[in-house]
């Protein structure tokens, strides 16, 4: 494993912690700033919206800069945002810190995924992206309990100080271990060659990156990403109510059940990365199909406590198994455009908002706490159809290119 990948994974871990730990700190933050739970909750929604905006805006603004330089700047922004949160004297400054930290989120994972895949041989690119995202999945497992534990013991500000320190370590690691621009480079070298100082993902002009969005495959992949994430998040947003109101679990049980889900994310990330390197489109369709089945069965068996434990693990596994492959698919069809990779992160956040909204509508309609699972299954089923269309179109395009080559042979 190239050491630069470890540094990228550490950066992903810190960013993931920032996103997730606030959920376990909301009561303390609300009390500290004398705001309502709803106002404190905007620290979460404000972060998500800033991720969607920042992913596109910052990636476009830094299109011509060396990727390593951009990554260092993004992690620096992350450190500043968390430092603002740690020292915030009032709620507006706290919100500003959350927004600043969130702006780097989408661009970091978009640009970082291109750098990660450029550090290894082509047949390992999805696994390299999975290694980078391993930090994010681990943060999903540890984020909420970490925030709650540290906040309870030393106060909520200490949690943000800890994340700031992780950000500083990630910044130093990326600066020291990710190859610097020395001309040439790009995907296709071995992992050993990736450490020779060449840029693993040279910058591409913004105009060239925008041209990548003429590809129907890019848009189909973004749509499948949004729908896949949306279905999972639509179910996950209300999973605590499903556990307690349908499954008969107690409120304290929800914490360890969410950790089971997080372990599923970690396993799915590893399995999905390996599978995508063998047959990416097939792996993506199977992952999305598996998620559709899992959510449907979960909805049917939610009253069974043992089944709920198994199914929430499978929900995490199948839900994240598509992530590494989706990232490499969109960047392959976009010819390495970082803007497309960041747009994939934005698409996932748009999907999250859509899924949570539709799940909430089902609850408001009085359909019960199983309903978000069935709504999520329906959304992901559409993602399966979109991915199947994309895969078929890609096969047809490859066959057409092969036929042209044969005709051109004298």
């Amino acid at each position: 494993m190239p050491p630069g990948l470890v540094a990228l994974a550490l950066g992903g871990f810190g960013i993931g912690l920032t996103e997730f730990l606030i959920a376990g700190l909301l009561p303390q933050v609300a009390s500290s700033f004398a705001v309502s739970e709803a106002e404190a909750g905007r620290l979460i929604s404000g972060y998500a919206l800033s991720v969607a905006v920042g992913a596109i805006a910052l990636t476009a603004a830094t299109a011509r800069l060396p990727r390593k330089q951009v990554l260092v700047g993004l992690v620096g922004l992350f450190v500043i945002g968390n430092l603002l949160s740690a020292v915030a004297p009032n709620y507006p400054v706290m919100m500003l810190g959350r927004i600043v930290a969130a702006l780097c989120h989408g661009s970091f994972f978009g640009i970082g995924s291109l750098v990660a895949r450029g550090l290894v041989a082509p047949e390992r690119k999805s696994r390299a992206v999975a290694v980078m995202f391993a930090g994010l999945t681990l943060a999903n497992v540890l984020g909420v309990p970490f925030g709650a534990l540290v906040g309870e013991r030393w106060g909520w500000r200490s949690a943000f100080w800890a994340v700031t320190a992780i950000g500083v370590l990630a910044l130093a690691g990326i600066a020291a271990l990710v190859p610097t621009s020395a001309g040439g480079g790009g995907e296709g070298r071995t992992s050993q060659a990736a450490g020779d100082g060449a840029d693993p993902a040279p910058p591409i002009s913004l105009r060239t990156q925008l041209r990548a969005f003429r590809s129907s495959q890019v848009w189909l992949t973004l749509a499948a990403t949004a729908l896949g994430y949306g279905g999972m998040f639509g179910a996950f947003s209300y999973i605590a109510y499903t556990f307690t109101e349908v499954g008969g679990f107690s409120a304290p049980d929800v914490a360890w059940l969410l950790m089971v889900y997080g372990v599923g994310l970690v396993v799915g990330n590893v399995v999905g990365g390996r599978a995508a390197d063998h047959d990416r489109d097939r792996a993506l369709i199977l992952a999305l199909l598996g998620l559709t089945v899992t959510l449907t069965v979960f909805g049917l068996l939610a009253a069974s406590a043992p089944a709920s434990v198994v199914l929430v693990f499978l929900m995490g596994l199948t839900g994240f198994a598509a992530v590494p492959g989706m990232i490499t698919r969109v960047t392959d069809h976009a010819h390495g455009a970082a803007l497309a990779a960041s747009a994939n992160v934005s698409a996932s956040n748009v999907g999250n908002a859509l899924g949570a909204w539709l799940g909430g509508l089902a609850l408001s309609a009085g359909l019960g706490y199983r309903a978000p699972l069935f709504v999520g299954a329906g959304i992901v089923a559409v993602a399966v159809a979109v991915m199947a269309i994309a895969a078929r179109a890609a096969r047809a395009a490859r066959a057409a290119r092969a036929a042209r080559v044969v005709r051109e042979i004298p």
Side-chain angles (χ1 to χ4, degrees), residues 259-284:
M259 291 190 71
V260 172
Y261 168 79
V263 172
L265 294 179
V266 174
V267 175
N269 181 54
V270 174
V271 172
R274 288 182 174 274
D277 279 334
H278 290 288
D279 188 338
R280 186 172 56 202
D281 283 357
R282 183 169 181 266
L284 291 175

Side-chain angles (χ1 to χ4, degrees), residues 47-86:
Y47 184 97
L49 290 172
S50 298
V51 169
V53 173
I56 301 298
L58 287 185
T59 304
T62 58
R64 289 186 173 275
L65 298 177
R67 300 275 166 79
K68 176 179 177 177
Q69 182 180 325
V70 174
L71 287 174
V72 169
L74 290 172
V75 179
L77 196 65
F78 166 79
V79 170
I80 292 170
N82 281 284
L83 187 60
L84 276 174
S85 296

Side-chain angles (χ1 to χ4, degrees), residues 337-397:
L339 196 59
S342 297
N344 202 65
V345 178
S346 289
S348 67
N349 278 270
V350 171
N352 290 352
L354 173 67
W357 177 64
L358 291 175
L361 286 181
L363 290 178
S364 299
L367 299 179
Y369 291 110
R370 300 172 189 254
L373 290 164
F374 292 121
V375 169
I379 297 172
V380 183
V382 180
V384 174
V386 171
M387 194 60 239
I389 292 169
R392 183 174 181 178
R395 285 196 301 271

Side-chain angles (χ1 to χ4, degrees), residues 36-366:
S36 67
E37 290 90 345
E39 287 180 287
R42 293 190 188 108
L43 295 171
I44 297 176
S45 56
Y47 184 97
L49 290 172
S50 298
V51 169
V53 173
I56 301 298
L58 287 185
T59 304
T62 58
R64 289 186 173 275
L65 298 177
R67 300 275 166 79
K68 176 179 177 177
Q69 182 180 325
V70 174
L71 287 174
V72 169
L74 290 172
V75 179
L77 196 65
F78 166 79
V79 170
I80 292 170
N82 281 284
L83 187 60
L84 276 174
S85 296
V87 302
N90 51 48
Y91 178 81
V93 175
M94 180 71 179
M95 178 61 82
L96 176 62
R98 292 289 292 167
I99 291 172
V100 170
L103 288 175
C104 77
H105 184 125
S107 291
F108 179 85
F109 283 108
I111 296 172
S113 65
L114 286 172
V115 173
R117 59 182 283 171
L119 291 170
V120 299
E123 64 272 14
R124 293 179 175 268
K125 60 188 176 185
S126 292
R127 271 172 280 186
V129 172
V131 169
M132 179 186 170
F133 274 83
L136 179 63
T137 57
L138 186 61
N140 201 306
V141 178
L142 301 177
V144 174
F146 171 84
L149 178 64
V150 173
E152 182 179 346
R153 190 174 182 88
W154 295 292
W156 67 266
R157 294 181 187 275
S158 60
F160 285 96
W161 280 113
V163 175
T164 301
I166 292 172
V168 171
L169 288 175
L171 191 153
I174 291 170
L177 301 175
V178 172
T180 55
S181 178
E187 187 183 319
R189 295 171 294 136
T190 64
S191 59
Q192 289 81 10
D196 62 5
D199 189 347
I204 302 172
S205 71
L206 180 57
R207 179 176 295 180
T208 301
Q209 293 196 52
L210 289 172
R211 280 201 295 269
F213 287 92
R214 296 176 182 174
S215 167
S216 61
Q217 287 292 332
V218 169
W219 286 106
L220 286 169
T221 308
L222 293 177
T225 296
L227 292 165
Y229 261 98
M232 181 176 69
F233 202 79
F236 180 74
S237 297
Y238 307 98
I239 199 71
Y241 295 105
T242 308
F243 285 140
T244 57
E245 302 300 324
V246 181
F249 291 97
S250 65
D253 286 333
V254 173
W256 68 262
L257 286 165
L258 291 180
M259 291 190 71
V260 172
Y261 168 79
V263 172
L265 294 179
V266 174
V267 175
N269 181 54
V270 174
V271 172
R274 288 182 174 274
D277 279 334
H278 290 288
D279 188 338
R280 186 172 56 202
D281 283 357
R282 183 169 181 266
L284 291 175
I285 291 171
L286 288 176
L288 293 171
L289 188 60
L291 180 58
T292 304
V293 173
T294 298
L295 293 176
T296 302
V297 175
F298 200 168
L300 295 172
L301 302 181
S304 167
S308 293
V309 175
V310 174
L311 288 164
V312 77
F313 170 79
L314 291 176
M315 179 178 161
L317 189 155
T318 55
F320 215 86
V323 171
M326 286 294 189
I327 287 282
T328 56
R329 191 179 201 280
V330 77
T331 48
D332 275 353
H333 287 287
H335 307 293
L339 196 59
S342 297
N344 202 65
V345 178
S346 289
S348 67
N349 278 270
V350 171
N352 290 352
L354 173 67
W357 177 64
L358 291 175
L361 286 181
L363 290 178
S364 299

Side-chain angles (χ1 to χ4, degrees), residues 21-31 37 40-44:
L21 66 79
I22 188 66
L25 299 172
L26 280 185
Q28 294 182 46
V29 173
S31 175
E37 290 90 345
R42 293 190 188 108
L43 295 171
I44 297 176

